[in-house]
Amino acid sequence: MDLGLDVQERDGFAVLAVSGEVDVATVPRLREQLHGLVAQGSNKIIVNLDAVDFLDSTGLGVLVGGLKKVRAHDGSMELICSQDRLLKIFRITGLAKVFTIHESESAALGA
């Protein structure tokens, strides 16, 4: 399956909706998108993972790298994820303590 990336501006946030599989074959596009948003001056990013079918360790690495890049520009990057199987990955790896994870877009925008 391919990777879908859609960016929309909402309430001062760049909301990046990710769909499909985030793996070694598709992470270069995700990395490029995140770096491009920061380069364009977006320093408040929300990554919506609700339509992600698969996420591997390279995908986690790109998310961590994106977080570091955004923070280096005095910004923030938060996640939207309501899928138990993905949330389990974040908990097991300890990344649930690194990222702010919201259950919905409205919750993320209201935070």
Side-chain angles (χ1 to χ4, degrees), residues 5 13-18 22 30 34 37 44-50 52 63 66-67 70 76-81 99-102 108:
L5 300 171
F13 289 88
V15 179
L16 172 59
V18 183
V22 182
L30 178 58
L34 288 170
L37 287 171
K44 291 169 43 176
I45 299 172
I46 297 172
V47 180
N48 187 337
L49 301 173
D50 273 347
V52 170
L63 291 173
L67 178 64
V70 171
S76 65
M77 185 173 99
E78 300 180 5
L79 306 179
I80 298 170
C81 183
F99 288 101
T100 301
I101 302 175
H102 303 278

Side-chain angles (χ1 to χ4, degrees), residues 7 11-12 16 26 31 36 38-39 49 52 72 77 81 98 102-103 106:
V7 179
D11 297 335
L16 172 59
T26 60
R31 181 183 303 111
V38 174
L49 301 173
V52 170
M77 185 173 99
C81 183
V98 175
H102 303 278
E103 289 188 7
S106 59

Side-chain angles (χ1 to χ4, degrees), residues 22-83:
V22 182
D23 59 20
V24 70
T26 60
V27 292
R29 287 185 49 221
L30 178 58
R31 181 183 303 111
E32 182 179 305
Q33 183 72 63
L34 288 170
H35 288 202
L37 287 171
V38 174
Q40 294 169 9
S42 295
N43 68 346
K44 291 169 43 176
I45 299 172
I46 297 172
V47 180
N48 187 337
L49 301 173
D50 273 347
V52 170
D53 300 318
F54 179 79
L55 177 68
D56 72 3
S57 60
T58 58
L60 290 174
V62 167
L63 291 173
V64 170
L67 178 64
K68 288 180 180 178
K69 188 160 195 74
V70 171
R71 284 184 176 168
H73 289 84
D74 297 322
S76 65
M77 185 173 99
E78 300 180 5
L79 306 179
I80 298 170
C81 183
S82 60
Q83 298 182 51

